[in-house]
Amino acid sequence: MKKSDGKTRGMADKPFDDHRRAFMRTTALAAGLLSAGIAPFALAAKGGNSGNGGGGQTARNPLRIPPTIAPGGAALTAAPASVNLGGGKLSSVLAYNGFFPGPTFRANSGDAADIAFTNGLSAETTIHWHGMIVPPAADGHPMDAVMPGAGYAYRFPVAQRACLNWYHPHPHMKTGEQVALGLAGAFIVNDAEEAALNLPSGLYEVPLILRDADFDNSGNLSYTAKSSGFLGKTPLVNGTLSPKLQVDTAIYRFRVLNGANARVFRLALSNGAPLVVIGNDGGLLDTAPAPVAEIELSPGERLDILVDFRGLAVGDKLMLRCLSAGWDLLEFAVARAVTVAGEIPAGALSTITPLADPVLTREFSFDGMSRINGKVYDMHRIDFQVPLDQTERWRFKTGGNAPHPVHVHGASFQVVSRTGGRGRVLPWERGWKDTVLLLDGETVDVLIRFEAYRGLYVMHCHKLEHEDMGMMANFEVI
Ligand code: C2O
Ligand code: CU
Ligand code: CU
């Protein structure tokens, strides 16, 4: 296998009101299900036999947890694979090292990543380390395409704070297909500030990669590009169909990624209990934990949440649901009563210096399904230049056809305002972000500052079909 080295080239949100409203909505949904003759088993937090076979549901499958690897001296191959999504039948997918989702990288801030990648696909690809601040040559830019049978060394220092990032292909006009067919994995960074909080760990820290999928008649993953965005008919969590997780009566930390091409999930627990937000794309919030009843999470966004199962009894069941699709994403079945030390932290979770005093404002209008500021992406055109170490305000607007989850490579940003639409910065959008959801009618302002590397990066809509059709721009940090 030929390997080419990396080239050098230049609570303020009234959680308990929210909670009650969500509960009422859930109840209304239950009424709807009842009138449709379907038992609302997802709503039964108590009552043992509801999760398995109740309401005509199929048996639930144990949630798959991808294996963990270190990024120093790792080897990663993208290739077709046959995997069991839970029902016992094998499905053809595209996988990293045979795993769907790919192995979870786990590193400490300060480690070095040196990942020897081999492209075992029949098409060109790249790997982008979404959320990782890496040199341009390791960022998976479509110009750095790795041909079938070839390799590429992704080398970068893991220099950032603790957070959940992820990796996925980023080839020219083929990102949507390769991601939908299975290529994605988590990349977790740990640091000392996070360790000092003694957050739930080991069995009590669980990655949840959410997505939707379509299948062909033989049960293989299938993909049809659609300019409005690919919306699969079936939810998968960690590549598992109808998953369940047996839990202890303890606090769990869920590291959630929306790995779908286009679907915005509206997450909530079936018993109305809060999701306690402690972090997002760029790591821990600088506020206290924020309990919220529901969370809108768009493609590319991450969440760090705590769920407290301590008040439940063995045999209790509840669901993580998507309220917009009406899906039961993941069943939690309380299997063991334990007493584990540890509380939900009370104070601010981390320290973040707010960006301030932008020297200029750049406006980006996400137009139609394929343009930013009127232009379709051209791999060879540099759309703008940004000086290193300069704080700027970037204003994201939409000309329609949202949701547009706006994502920027090369730096994280801070969301400072949203006007129109939802009209505020939501609790899970505080701190550092690299992807922010823009709905029609909304204008979102962020502050951003590139401090790490000069060179070529992209920003784009993370609805992957919009990205593939050209809703992407090249910029150069100078
Ligand atoms: Cu997750 Cu440029 O993408
Ligand atoms: Cu990215
Ligand atoms: Cu878009």
Side-chain angles (χ1 to χ4, degrees):
M1 215 67 22
K2 197 183 89 194
K3 213 165 267 168
S4 70
D5 280 345
K7 296 170 233 145
T8 331
R9 189 195 51 222
M11 279 260 250
D13 293 272
K14 301 196 275 0
F16 296 105
D17 276 25
D18 284 355
H19 178 146
R20 191 159 47 241
R21 282 203 310 275
F23 182 72
M24 280 156 43
R25 263 195 300 273
T26 313
T27 308
L29 177 70
L33 289 172
L34 283 171
S35 63
I38 300 165
F41 77 92
L43 301 168
K46 310 262 171 193
N49 65 350
S50 54
N52 205 344
Q57 298 292 309
T58 49
R60 301 198 72 94
N61 305 304
L63 177 73
R64 172 183 303 113
I65 308 292
T68 299
I69 58 174
L76 202 61
T77 300
S82 261
V83 298
N84 171 8
L85 303 180
K89 211 159 62 106
L90 292 181
S91 301
S92 301
V93 303
L94 302 180
Y96 289 117
N97 290 1
F99 295 103
F100 169 61
T104 300
F105 285 98
R106 196 184 266 275
N108 289 314
S109 190
D111 288 354
D114 185 353
I115 299 161
F117 172 61
T118 304
N119 181 4
L121 307 172
S122 55
E124 66 178 49
T125 190
T126 69
I127 305 183
H128 171 56
W129 312 91
H130 181 135
M132 303 297 295
I133 311 297
V134 306
D139 199 49
H141 191 280
M143 298 253 271
D144 294 324
V146 185
M147 294 301 145
Y152 196 92
Y154 289 96
R155 296 200 181 105
F156 52 91
V158 178
Q160 63 209 84
R161 66 202 296 261
C163 58
L164 165 65
N165 291 325
W166 62 302
Y167 61 101
H168 63 76
H170 219 298
H172 192 48
M173 300 173 78
K174 288 245 178 283
T175 299
E177 178 181 353
Q178 292 185 6
V179 172
L181 294 181
L183 291 172
F187 195 125
I188 294 175
V189 181
N190 296 118
D191 70 7
E193 184 182 44
E194 174 197 41
L197 288 173
N198 277 316
L199 294 167
S201 63
L203 278 180
Y204 300 130
E205 181 191 10
V206 182
L208 300 179
I209 301 181
L210 312 177
R211 54 163 293 179
D212 50 0
D214 274 347
F215 296 94
D216 68 13
N217 291 333
S218 328
N220 303 318
L221 282 188
S222 72
Y223 175 69
T224 317
K226 218 177 151 220
S227 56
S228 55
F230 168 81
L231 292 179
K233 290 175 201 68
T234 307
L236 293 173
V237 183
N238 295 353
T240 316
L241 283 163
S242 297
K244 72 164 176 229
L245 179 67
Q246 296 204 322
V247 295
D248 292 351
T249 54
I251 303 170
Y252 278 68
R253 180 182 187 193
F254 293 107
R255 316 298 303 267
V256 186
L257 159 69
N258 183 345
N261 281 39
R263 183 177 295 278
V264 178
F265 288 98
R266 194 144 63 84
L267 302 175
L269 291 169
S270 57
N271 64 352
L275 300 164
V276 179
V277 182
I278 59 169
N280 54 14
D281 308 357
L284 294 165
L285 302 182
D286 62 348
T287 62
V292 291
E294 55 178 79
I295 299 173
E296 243 173 333
L297 195 71
S298 69
E301 290 189 288
R302 286 88 72 206
L303 271 182
D304 200 342
I305 52 177
L306 301 178
V307 176
D308 190 350
F309 297 108
R310 289 177 303 178
L312 301 181
V314 170
D316 285 352
K317 290 182 173 166
L318 66 134
M319 282 289 176
L320 177 66
R321 307 200 74 236
C322 172
L323 300 180
S324 36
W327 280 344
D328 291 330
L329 296 173
L330 172 62
E331 179 187 85
F332 302 110
V334 182
R336 207 161 59 126
V338 298
T339 309
V340 184
E343 275 302 325
I344 293 180
L349 292 152
S350 76
T351 309
I352 293 176
T353 308
L355 294 174
D357 304 322
V359 304
L360 59 81
T361 301
R362 297 180 199 269
E363 278 201 11
F364 301 98
S365 176
F366 291 77
D367 302 328
M369 311 203 223
S370 60
R371 283 165 289 129
I372 297 177
N373 290 345
K375 288 192 224 159
V376 173
Y377 182 64
D378 176 345
M379 204 164 39
H380 302 287
R381 181 189 67 224
I382 296 195
D383 293 289
F384 59 102
Q385 294 183 314
V386 186
L388 195 71
D389 289 329
Q390 167 167 298
T391 303
E392 302 190 349
R393 179 189 290 110
W394 288 15
R395 177 164 293 161
F396 305 131
K397 304 159 67 150
T398 153
N401 297 297
H404 302 299
V406 177
H407 172 52
V408 182
H409 291 210
S412 299
F413 52 72
Q414 296 175 355
V415 183
V416 291
S417 67
R418 174 183 283 107
T419 51
R422 291 169 294 162
R424 60 183 182 139
V425 178
L426 297 150
W428 55 90
E429 295 179 318
R430 297 192 179 126
W432 289 110
K433 292 279 293 168
D434 55 57
T435 307
V436 65
L437 176 58
L438 183 62
L439 295 182
D440 280 331
E442 295 183 350
T443 297
V444 174
D445 279 9
V446 307
L447 294 179
I448 192 164
R449 180 183 171 92
F450 294 82
E451 295 181 326
Y453 304 102
R454 292 188 163 87
L456 183 64
Y457 292 102
V458 293
M459 69 173 299
H460 59 90
C461 177
H462 217 288
K463 184 186 276 185
L464 298 180
E465 290 68 33
H466 287 185
E467 170 186 337
D468 283 343
M469 288 189 299
M471 191 174 272
M472 178 149 80
N474 272 333
F475 63 92
E476 189 181 13
V477 179
I478 54 168

